[in-house]
Amino acid sequence: MSDLLQNQASNEITELDNLPEHREIVTFMRRSAPLNTSQRQALENYQHLILQYPVGDLRQVFTHPERPLTVEIGFGMGRSLVLMAKENPQRNYIGIEVHVPGIAQCVYEAGMAELENLRVLDADAIQVLKEMPDASIDCLQLYFPDPWQKKRHFKRRFVVHERMALVEQKLRTGGTFHAATDWEPYAEWMLDILDNRPNLKNLAGKGNCYPRPDWRPLTKFEKRGIEAGHRINDFLFEKIN
């Protein structure tokens, strides 16, 4: 696993949806980036925290599969995900990310904290969700995703009706989808789609953003947005049936 991830770190940007084996439109891009010494060591020392795709039912990778499962898509460098796992030891966490330095940094911090309720995965989140049993996820988190600003790239945005139908299918009744963005056009796009999903209820009331919750740690991208004067928009929706 560590050799595979380290090799990926040196790859060029890859247009995955143009590859013969991956015809579906994806919501991410792989970008090359170097690993520092601690990150390289983390890929070796904490291999047990890194899952190999395909994984099937993510609940079963934990010692206590009966505990609520939170899945975060695109966790960046993973610091906020690690903090949440530390603060909620009775909940299991899966982080899905394709940025190898982020995976390495996340498992480094999780390993140093001796966390047993967190695992990470380098994979296409859509494919992972498709393999999960229905009604198996308690919370799905999407914090500061790529807004794909150009119109021709809107198809790559995670929050579109087709992908949200999959999210609804995998969330348990009463489970939540929590998204956050500092890009106002994407916030408006998200709200329009989420408010019109048949199986999701806006916990802030239709047409409203959710007040920033204290339990969501500040992320690197959020901090950048605040420094740039951007408004932070949270959306919290409950699966109702």
Side-chain angles (χ1 to χ4, degrees), residues 6 23 39 62 98 101 103-104 108 116 132 139 142 162 165 195 220 226 240:
Q6 290 183 21
R23 294 298 186 184
Q39 289 170 347
F62 295 99
V98 297
I103 292 172
Y108 171 76
E116 293 298 330
M132 284 288 290
C139 177
L142 182 74
E162 177 184 0
D195 262 344
K220 178 181 72 173
I226 292 172
I240 55 176

Side-chain angles (χ1 to χ4, degrees), residues 74-222:
F75 58 76
M77 300 305 286
R79 292 188 177 94
S80 63
L81 181 60
V82 170
L83 283 173
M84 295 181 83
K86 282 182 182 178
E87 294 172 1
N88 299 278
Q90 299 304 310
R91 176 179 289 269
N92 293 328
Y93 288 83
I94 291 286
I96 304 174
E97 178 58 68
V98 297
H99 184 56
V100 179
I103 292 172
Q105 187 65 35
C106 185
V107 298
Y108 171 76
E109 296 188 17
M112 292 295 289
E114 299 183 344
L115 295 180
E116 293 298 330
N117 64 330
L118 172 62
R119 298 291 186 274
V120 301
L121 178 63
D122 176 9
D124 180 348
I126 300 302
Q127 301 305 316
V128 174
L129 290 178
K130 287 180 177 179
E131 295 178 9
M132 284 288 290
D134 293 350
S136 60
I137 298 174
D138 185 72
C139 177
L140 195 146
Q141 300 176 168
L142 182 74
Y143 297 153
F144 303 93
D146 192 327
W148 295 107
Q149 300 173 28
K150 296 180 180 179
K151 187 173 182 179
R152 69 175 183 272
H153 290 156
F154 284 1
K155 62 187 178 182
R156 292 181 179 272
R157 289 178 169 177
F158 186 89
V159 179
V160 296
H161 282 291
E162 177 184 0
R163 297 184 183 108
M164 292 314 302
L166 178 63
V167 168
E168 292 172 10
Q169 184 180 347
K170 302 306 175 178
L171 282 175
R172 67 167 181 82
T173 300
T176 55
F177 174 71
H178 185 194
T181 182
D182 68 313
W183 188 251
E184 198 65 28
Y186 195 17
E188 295 171 359
W189 169 288
M190 283 185 178
L191 189 57
D192 180 61
I193 288 176
L194 295 172
D195 262 344
N196 288 285
R197 292 304 309 164
N199 298 312
L200 294 177
K201 176 184 177 181
N202 189 339
L203 294 182
K206 191 167 185 177
N208 296 316
C209 297
Y210 194 84
R212 190 197 186 285
D214 293 336
W215 42 261
R216 180 173 66 73
L218 183 72
T219 73
K220 178 181 72 173
F221 287 105
E222 180 177 12

